[in-house]
Amino acid sequence: MYICLCKSLTDRDIHHGVLRGEVACMQSLRERLGASTGCGSCAAAARQCLDEALAYKRCLGGDRAGSGNREVTAADLHMPGLGDASPA
């Protein structure tokens, strides 16, 4: 689902960014993926999607000491409800 029309950013893009360790907060979401840098109307949806992605990563164990550097697998990127999560 599109989160930011200005930057053609989807929920899948945000989830992948979080799982790859590229995105961890709204600032990095703006800097790395461009969310909420155009008209700004996507800010609330981007924040909600970011929170969901961070919670998903915690469920995978990505925030425990020593596990944050583990390789993200294709199975990690297959998130229920997001369809085919293979990288674009």
Side-chain angles (χ1 to χ4, degrees):
M1 172 176 73
Y2 279 97
I3 299 295
C4 177
L5 293 177
C6 296
K7 301 295 182 177
S8 298
L9 182 67
T10 67
D11 55 345
R12 203 164 80 183
D13 297 328
I14 294 172
H15 277 263
H16 286 183
V18 167
L19 289 174
R20 290 183 181 127
E22 299 166 356
V23 175
C25 62
M26 277 302 288
Q27 181 177 344
S28 60
L29 182 58
R30 281 191 290 274
E31 291 172 357
R32 297 201 181 252
L33 300 180
S36 193
T37 59
C39 72
S41 66
C42 67
R47 164 62 75 184
Q48 181 178 349
C49 188
L50 174 62
D51 290 345
E52 291 169 1
L54 291 170
Y56 183 80
K57 183 176 181 180
R58 281 191 299 277
C59 286
L60 293 175
D63 285 347
R64 286 183 284 168
S67 66
N69 293 330
R70 78 174 181 80
E71 184 176 335
V72 175
T73 67
D76 293 335
L77 295 177
H78 181 72
M79 296 160 277
L82 294 180
D84 177 18
S86 53

